[in-house]
């Protein structure tokens, strides 16, 4: 039994997954949708998923899946930034969020390294120097 039975994520029907991830019916539908979206994009380059959905009636989820699988050239379709929702056509975040995220990461690692930085050594009341505490000598 090499064939995997699974539910089609598009229509929910059980099908034998031959590697496409969706059932044959949906593959055919995908191809039709691709042609529709393609011709729409030729007239309206840089459209958002919402615009494509409104113009073609194709589910946004389906359009998103097509974009993620690289059906359309980069820059042809814009989709929302995962952080702020601004339209982007490449990657997961817009330029602003990419910069903001970098800053946040920097801030976090800065504050972490500040915490790690040694605090002034406590004055040793006994007058003994702590040197030698862990010494192997
Ligand atoms: Zn299906
Ligand atoms: Zn953003």
């Amino acid at each position: 039994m090499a064939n995997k039975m699974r539910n089609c994520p598009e229509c929910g029907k059980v099908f034998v997954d031959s590697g496409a991830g969706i059932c044959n019916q949906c593959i055919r539908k995908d191809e039709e949708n691709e042609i529709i979206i393609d011709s729409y994009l030729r007239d309206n380059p840089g459209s958002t998923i919402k615009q494509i959905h409104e113009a073609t009636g194709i589910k946004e989820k389906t359009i998103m899946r097509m974009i993620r699988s690289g059906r359309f050239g980069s820059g042809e379709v814009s989709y929302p930034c995962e952080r702020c929702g601004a339209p982007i056509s490449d990657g997961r975040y817009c330029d602003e969020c990419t910069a903001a995220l970098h800053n946040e990461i920097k801030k976090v690692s800065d504050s972490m390294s500040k915490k790690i930085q040694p605090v002034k050594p406590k004055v040793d009341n006994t007058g003994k120097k702590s040197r030698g505490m862990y010494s192997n000598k």
Side-chain angles (χ1 to χ4, degrees):
M1 278 270 284
N3 288 335
K4 274 190 297 181
M5 298 290 286
R6 54 174 290 185
N7 284 89
C8 172
E10 276 302 301
C11 66
K13 262 189 270 180
V14 176
F15 73 107
V16 181
D17 191 355
S18 53
I22 57 175
C23 74
N24 278 327
Q25 226 177 312
C26 288
I27 291 173
R28 226 167 301 146
K29 213 164 72 186
D30 249 25
E31 279 162 6
E32 281 169 30
N33 287 342
E34 201 181 324
I35 294 165
I36 294 168
I37 297 172
D38 240 5
S39 66
Y40 175 77
L41 283 176
R42 221 167 296 143
D43 297 333
N44 308 276
S47 297
T48 62
I49 293 174
K50 217 177 155 69
Q51 283 168 333
I52 299 169
H53 163 70
E54 274 162 13
T56 62
I58 298 163
K59 278 186 281 180
E60 289 182 40
K61 203 183 85 184
T62 307
I63 302 166
M64 197 66 214
R65 178 166 46 73
M66 287 181 173
I67 294 167
R68 289 228 191 271
S69 61
R71 306 268 189 121
F72 312 110
S74 156
E76 268 189 76
V77 189
S78 53
Y79 48 95
C81 162
E82 286 186 20
R83 193 165 172 272
C84 72
I88 51 170
S89 57
D90 198 24
R92 290 172 60 190
Y93 306 107
C94 67
D95 287 345
E96 243 171 78
C97 287
T98 306
L101 285 169
H102 275 300
N103 272 338
E104 263 166 50
I105 292 165
K106 213 175 146 253
K107 241 187 275 168
V108 169
S109 65
D110 274 359
S111 70
M112 279 208 316
S113 63
K114 246 174 240 158
K115 262 176 219 160
I116 291 162
Q117 259 165 34
V119 199
K120 265 188 194 169
K122 273 186 194 149
V123 181
D124 197 344
N125 286 330
T126 65
K128 264 195 306 188
K129 279 188 181 156
S130 57
R131 180 173 59 92
M133 245 168 91
Y134 299 108
S135 158
N136 290 327
K137 267 183 201 165

